[in-house]
């Protein structure tokens, strides 16, 4: 049973527009959520995170929104740039800093010039 | 160092041979994690350490897989008697202790691609 799901395997957007990547989870014990970006042949790079006590966290062009009641989070990238083209992973953790992350299957974002 | 360093980048072994992978966490990070990526995008948690102590090994296969994090040495993941199904990219990640009550993200290395022939 997959506890973190990214239902869109791919997303294509035009440069300058907004990219919205979605993630759903089922485990109500998750209370810390992260987004990672991954290029081929490299490890995931941490982008942004959000604690369950918040519903929004913003860092530059990246904003993560959390809807606890719907068990849904999303990553907004605005404006999108061609360099943002990568695989984006949503991850979730239970309330322990030493806890393992449970990952979604990723969404491949392509930003067209 | 400032990055998680994994060696080697690529390891090729014949079925039945031993494979050993290494990970140097970011200096000052107390936690180390190993993940296995078999299919293109699926990350499977294997094991985590708090300093040199095993914290969570619920993802480790019962046989053939072992891991260590010894003081003043890179952490290691060892697979005895490798099988074709062990072919995967193995990622190591490290994280700091919680600061000011705030969770800290895991930072990943670039992985070791293990190919079993």
């Amino acid at each position: 049973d997959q506890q973190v799901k990214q239902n869109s395997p791919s997303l294509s957007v035009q440069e300058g527009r907004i990219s919205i990547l979605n993630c759903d989870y089922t485990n109500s014990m998750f209370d810390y959520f992260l987004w990672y970006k991954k290029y081929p042949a490299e490890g995931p790079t941490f982008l942004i995170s959000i604690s369950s006590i918040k519903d929004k966290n913003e860092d530059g062009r990246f904003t993560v929104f959390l809807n606890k009641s719907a068990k849904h989070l999303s990553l907004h990238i605005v404006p999108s740039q061609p360099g943002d083209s990568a695989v984006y992973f949503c991850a979730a953790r239970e309330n322990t800093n030493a806890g393992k992350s449970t990952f979604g299957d990723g969404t491949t974002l392509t930003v067209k010039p | 160092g400032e990055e998680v360093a994994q060696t080697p980048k690529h390891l090729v072994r014949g079925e039945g041979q031993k494979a050993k992978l290494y990970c140097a966490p970011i200096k000052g990070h107390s936690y180390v994690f190993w993940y296995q990526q078999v299919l293109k995008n699926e990350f499977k948690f294997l094991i985590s350490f708090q300093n040199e102590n095993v914290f969570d090994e619920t993802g480790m296969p019962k046989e053939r897989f072992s891991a260590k994090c010894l003081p003043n040495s890179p952490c290691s993941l060892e697979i005895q008697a490798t099988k074709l199904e062990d072919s995967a990219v193995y990622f190591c990640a490290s994280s700091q202790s919680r600061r000011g009550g705030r969770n800290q993200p895991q930072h990943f290395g670039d992985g070791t691609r293990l190919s079993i022939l």
Side-chain angles (χ1 to χ4, degrees), chain B residues 58-74:
Chain B
T58 53
M60 281 289 265
K62 299 273 188 246
E63 299 174 349
R64 303 188 299 108
F65 282 64
S66 62
K68 293 179 186 177
C69 278
L70 300 175
N72 302 314
S73 296

Side-chain angles (χ1 to χ4, degrees), chain A residues 11 13-20 75-80 109:
Chain A
L11 174 68
V13 300
Q14 206 65 36
E15 182 178 6
R17 300 289 191 113
I18 184 171
S19 296
I20 300 176
L75 174 68
H76 292 209
I77 307 173
V78 57
S80 301
L109 173 66

Side-chain angles (χ1 to χ4, degrees), chain B residues 3-93:
Chain B
E3 294 181 342
V4 176
Q6 289 190 249
T7 56
K9 287 192 184 303
H10 194 184
L11 184 60
V12 181
R13 288 287 180 267
E15 199 173 7
Q17 292 185 315
K18 181 176 75 175
K20 195 164 185 177
L21 292 61
Y22 297 92
C23 168
I26 293 173
K27 191 175 180 181
H29 283 194
S30 305
Y31 301 100
V32 171
F33 305 80
W34 286 98
Y35 294 87
Q36 179 194 54
Q37 188 184 36
V38 177
L39 300 174
K40 189 177 179 182
N41 287 338
E42 182 186 350
F43 287 86
K44 177 178 180 279
F45 168 77
L46 294 176
I47 190 169
S48 62
F49 289 83
Q50 182 176 8
N51 298 310
E52 61 266 27
N53 304 307
V54 174
F55 185 83
D56 180 353
E57 57 183 345
T58 53
M60 281 289 265
K62 299 273 188 246
E63 299 174 349
R64 303 188 299 108
F65 282 64
S66 62
K68 293 179 186 177
C69 278
L70 300 175
N72 302 314
S73 296
C75 297
S76 64
L77 176 68
E78 188 167 342
I79 309 172
Q80 303 286 344
T82 54
K83 299 182 178 181
L84 296 175
E85 68 216 42
D86 298 331
S87 295
V89 181
Y90 291 83
F91 287 100
C92 175

